[in-house]
């Protein structure tokens, strides 16, 4: 379980607080999305979890331990896929294993199994520039999984994709999650995407962020896009879009 306890944070360059006394919890194995306006601090929440930034006060716990005492408990997939262009797809996937000093033969075995899992077996020796946007995101996701972390921080992984690829990858991601049940924190601008994927949607309304408003998504698994047509889901979608300031110029 991940827990923010009264976290207050401000970037040194900024003259305003980003979050103040923010507390929230994400239970083990949950799929939780965070939505909110651009610049409201969603990526900053991830930067605090993975230790790129430190809170001025308050603490973040994972499994009851302060995160400053832990390493490799979370895997961060940033907004840009950040595959290394000079490495093949296979070499990109091997990176977390290299860092973890996994023996070479085992690396290769794990990378090949993961490439198969994400449907990229034929691309092991290709370079990222030879892949489509959707394939690159699957490769970046595969690399994130190979860190072995049980907490995945996915920052708008599908936002740069065309809508059909995006829908296909949402379904694919849900299947992966239903199989492995890692804890997923997922940032998106897309209200429908958040509803379709999540157990719970957390909405950022205020600045500084003092709380995250939680909306449970009572859809059963496995999910189907048809579920989005349910009147209660339609209603929630319209409500969230309106509250986030959408639909007006
Ligand atoms: N490294 C940094 N140093 C100083 N200020 C930063 C830094 N990173 C982000 N900020 C500021 O903090 C605020 C929140 O940024 P953040 O990236 O967390 O927003 P976001 O909600 O992820 O936005 P988006 O939806 O556009 O990705 C912004 O106003 C941004 O200018
Ligand atoms: Mg961001």
């Amino acid at each position: 379980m991940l827990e923010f306890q009264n976290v207050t944070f401000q970037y040194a360059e900024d003259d305003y607080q980003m979050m103040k006394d923010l507390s929230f919890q994400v239970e083990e194995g949950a799929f939780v999305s965070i939505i909110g306006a651009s610049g409201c601090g969603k990526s900053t929440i991830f930067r605090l979890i993975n230790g790129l930034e430190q809170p001025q006060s308050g603490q973040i716990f994972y499994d009851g331990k302060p995160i400053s005492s832990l390493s490799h408990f979370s895997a961060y997939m940033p907004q840009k896929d950040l595959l290394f262009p000079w490495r093949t797809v296979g070499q990109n996937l091997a990176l977390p294993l290299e860092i973890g000093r996994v023996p070479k033969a085992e690396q290769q075995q794990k990378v090949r199994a993961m490439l198969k899992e994400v449907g990229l077996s034929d691309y092991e020796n290709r370079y990222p520039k030879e892949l489509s946007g959707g394939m690159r995101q699957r490769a970046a996701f595969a690399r994130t999984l190979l860190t072995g972390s049980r907490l995945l921080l996915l920052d708008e992984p599908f936002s740069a994709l065309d809508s059909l690829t995006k829908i296909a990858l949402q379904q694919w991601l849900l299947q992966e999650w239903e199989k492995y049940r890692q804890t997923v924190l997922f940032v998106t601008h897309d209200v429908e995407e958040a509803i379709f994927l999540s157990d719970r949607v957390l909405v950022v309304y205020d600045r500084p962020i003092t709380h995250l408003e939680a909306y449970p998504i009572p859809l059963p698994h496995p999910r189907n896009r048809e579920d989005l047509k349910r009147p209660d889901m339609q209603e929630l979608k319209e409500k969230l879009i309106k509250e986030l300031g959408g639909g007006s110029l």
Side-chain angles (χ1 to χ4, degrees):
M1 160 139 79
L2 175 76
E3 184 177 10
F4 271 52
Q5 228 176 57
N6 300 107
V7 171
T8 296
F9 176 73
Q10 175 169 351
Y11 283 108
E13 298 86 343
D14 290 342
D15 53 6
Y16 56 89
Q17 279 183 328
M18 198 74 252
M19 56 196 78
K20 190 172 163 51
D21 288 332
L22 176 65
S23 299
F24 70 97
Q25 295 181 350
V26 176
E27 56 289 355
E28 170 79 32
F31 196 125
V32 172
S33 289
I34 302 176
I35 59 175
S38 185
C40 71
K42 303 181 296 297
S43 297
T44 303
I45 292 176
F46 281 4
R47 293 165 63 83
L48 287 163
I49 297 171
N50 66 23
L52 285 174
E53 307 289 346
Q54 264 86 42
Q56 273 84 36
S57 63
Q59 272 201 302
I60 304 169
F61 296 92
Y62 184 71
D63 271 351
K65 303 181 196 80
I67 57 164
S68 50
S69 69
L70 302 170
S71 54
H72 306 305
F73 69 99
S74 71
Y76 180 34
M77 181 168 158
Q79 254 168 294
K80 281 204 178 137
D81 74 35
L82 295 185
L83 293 171
F84 293 110
W86 60 87
R87 284 185 160 232
T88 63
V89 170
Q91 289 164 345
N92 265 289
L93 263 63
L95 198 66
L97 304 173
E98 282 173 34
I99 293 168
R101 299 185 192 280
V102 172
K104 266 265 180 275
E106 195 183 330
Q107 281 184 26
Q108 197 170 49
Q109 189 198 343
K110 287 193 161 163
V111 165
R112 292 205 169 136
M114 188 55 75
L115 283 167
K116 191 160 174 232
E117 179 74 45
V118 302
L120 291 174
S121 287
D122 295 340
Y123 294 85
E124 181 178 350
N125 298 312
R126 303 289 196 88
Y127 287 87
K129 68 172 191 297
E130 300 174 83
L131 270 54
S132 71
M135 290 157 99
R136 290 171 64 103
Q137 289 310 86
R138 274 185 284 152
F141 181 70
R143 188 174 63 181
T144 308
L145 284 183
L146 281 169
T147 61
S149 301
R150 294 287 304 160
L151 174 62
L152 307 182
L153 310 173
L154 310 180
D155 199 347
E156 301 196 42
F158 304 148
S159 62
L161 302 173
D162 68 86
S163 61
L164 291 178
T165 306
K166 186 170 170 168
I167 287 169
L169 282 188
Q170 287 166 356
Q171 265 155 352
W172 173 82
L173 176 62
L174 259 190
Q175 280 164 16
E176 293 291 302
W177 176 77
E178 281 160 6
K179 212 161 24 168
Y180 296 108
R181 289 279 175 159
Q182 297 98 335
T183 311
V184 178
L185 259 181
F186 187 97
V187 164
T188 178
H189 277 117
D190 183 332
V191 172
E192 190 171 275
E193 174 169 87
I195 293 175
F196 180 56
L197 294 175
S198 318
D199 297 323
R200 188 148 36 94
V201 177
L202 300 177
V203 184
V204 180
Y205 285 120
D206 50 359
R207 169 174 275 184
I209 308 173
T210 59
H211 78 296
L212 298 171
E213 191 76 30
Y215 295 89
I217 309 296
L219 294 174
H221 286 279
R223 285 187 182 175
N224 185 307
R225 290 194 61 78
E226 291 296 306
D227 297 335
L228 291 171
K229 294 186 183 153
R230 274 177 35 168
D232 56 340
M233 292 299 110
Q234 284 289 329
E235 206 173 300
L236 177 61
K237 179 180 153 188
E238 292 309 320
K239 175 181 156 77
L240 292 177
I241 289 174
K242 203 164 159 194
E243 285 179 3
L244 288 166
S248 56
L249 288 175

